[in-house]
Amino acid sequence: MNNQLMDEFDLIKKYFVPISSIESQFLSNDGAVFKPKKDLDYVVSTDTIVEKIHFEGNEPPDQIAKKALRTNLSDLAAMGADPEFYSLSISLPKAKSKSFIENFVKGLKEDQKKYKIKLLGGDLTASSQLITITINIIGTVPSGQCISRSNSMVNDLLYVTGVLGLSNIGLLNLRKNDKKYSIAKLKYYLPQPRVEFSSSVRNFVTSMIDISDGFIQDCRHLARLSNLEFAINIKNLPISDIDLLSYEERLNAALIGGDDYELLFTSPPAHKEKINKIAKLHGLQITNIGHVKNGKNGQVTSNSIPINIGAYKHF
Amino acid sequence: MNNQLMDEFDLIKKYFVPISSIESQFLSNDGAVFKPKKDLDYVVSTDTIVEKIHFEGNEPPDQIAKKALRTNLSDLAAMGADPEFYSLSISLPKAKSKSFIENFVKGLKEDQKKYKIKLLGGDLTASSQLITITINIIGTVPSGQCISRSNSMVNDLLYVTGVLGLSNIGLLNLRKNDKKYSIAKLKYYLPQPRVEFSSSVRNFVTSMIDISDGFIQDCRHLARLSNLEFAINIKNLPISDIDLLSYEERLNAALIGGDDYELLFTSPPAHKEKINKIAKLHGLQITNIGHVKNGKNGQVTSNSIPINIGAYKHF
């Protein structure tokens, strides 16, 4: 673990060594060492969150830590991988360092336990103004069982986990005090990566993506990579039922709002019962929103008409 | 590969996909997948460089890319590991994106070839002002052969590669046009990680560190972790011979200047000939600057007197 803050070594010793792993050699070396487990493939992903862009900056630091970790966990979930390790790089203004880091590490510690993931190391640097956090995450899948974005097949059913658009509704209403917004705000602050569900269904799924750029964009992405049409029924989309907003506002949030971190996946009809059973086991709502067909390849349609994202853009 | 820049997908498709790897699935998924090689341990390290702190910002982008990659390669070298993969996260102002990235990727491509390392993926985000680059690097060593910082033994000889202080001299004289500074400036801009040498000596070395925080600090670090005294002869330090500076200035740069990225390592006297032979094979200068003894444990001494870093700090 390297660093450039004034009391760099002290900060690392006090806060990061206690949450580090054997593999990291308790941060005494330049890097961490691990012995790969047998018959597993390793999955690697990286996500950066920047203050004022991906988070406001005035959130409790433990919440920022969890958001940084969870957006990465969601990337692993999208590939059906089980979390193993992460590396962390933080750049933050010197003035913030101590108080920020103490609470930030508390958040990491809680999520390390929750998601069974170990800290390998990282870097702590000073920045002039804003906080930037990069996490590199490493997961595993049984050899050859990684889920890609491109293997959906004709007649596969299309599913989505959870409720869409909540995070976007939360973001747009952060300053509103009505309690009806609290679930949406919480979803914005604290994504719920579908790690365990993904691990349980990976053998029954043909393609999967986590919805981070908005349902419609990520859905098109999946359709394009399999070069098939995804026929959905917009009315079936699991949108928020919050009664402070119009149907159009809630649908719009579901279609183009970002940061949902729900899973969108395809699975052969033969596995329908199994998929539903696994979701129930995890207490997770899943919705069959359509199916895969030959047709307007690479497009997402509703009633055979390509969904025009522009129509939903400027409510 | 995720991203948040305006023409995010285009930038990735145009510049990063061509330099990506099979393991990254040409950046079509959230993450990369690799099958670990047999009988190897995996080494992971992360380093961040921030504009105005670790680099000026007006350097050619290909040079910034190489510096980012090489500081990480140096961390692998310090552990005796062979480079395999890296992930890259860049936050940069929108205005800079296209021209910057084109040349930046050129630098990555050249160093990918030079150091035989593959791009796994990463993240491209917008920042408000400054460029921040985080690289996560993965290397391999034959199982159990990773070099740590803590295994030096009494009577081991202490070696250092290359010349110390050059990078610091380069940094302090970036604006001077005298050609005599050009090697020093080049060393500041383009570190030379000792990857191949490290790989060749890993079985003959007891502890190793790459000198990034200045010789004396990193040397103490190594002494402390083995809880032994490192007795050096300051006169033997390989310092710059540039005649524009006084002996004191050159020695000072060697002792406390940062960013050398040379290796400091200990090795039993029995391996002396072998070590010298390998260095010669790689065309690399190495210098025996002292030895390891029981005594003032955790300290670095010259003539049995602990070196007082303060004495060299404010020339």
Side-chain angles (χ1 to χ4, degrees), chain A residues 172-183:
Chain A
L172 296 176
N173 297 285
L174 283 180
R175 308 276 170 262
K176 307 238 173 91
N177 288 322
D178 197 309
K179 277 193 177 166
K180 289 178 180 171
Y181 285 119
S182 41
I183 291 175

Side-chain angles (χ1 to χ4, degrees), chain A residues 5 7-8 11-12 14-16 19 61-62 65 88 90 92-94 96-108 124-125:
Chain A
L5 290 175
D7 41 354
E8 34 185 325
L11 285 170
I12 289 175
K14 187 165 178 190
Y15 298 114
F16 289 99
I19 65 158
D62 59 335
L88 170 72
I90 324 175
L92 79 166
K94 279 189 185 181
K96 275 207 172 172
S97 57
K98 266 203 182 156
S99 57
F100 182 91
I101 288 176
E102 182 166 5
N103 191 257
F104 187 86
V105 164
K106 182 179 155 274
L108 292 178
L124 186 56
T125 50

Side-chain angles (χ1 to χ4, degrees), chain A residues 123-164:
Chain A
D123 201 353
L124 186 56
T125 50
S127 75
S128 51
Q129 279 189 300
L130 299 176
I131 302 168
T132 303
I133 301 162
T134 295
I135 284 183
N136 187 269
I137 200 159
I138 300 181
T140 52
V141 279
S143 201
Q145 289 179 28
C146 188
I147 304 167
S148 89
R149 289 179 173 171
S150 56
N151 293 329
S152 40
M153 290 175 297
V154 172
N155 294 329
D156 277 356
L157 300 179
L158 185 63
Y159 298 88
V160 70
T161 62
V163 173
L164 298 180

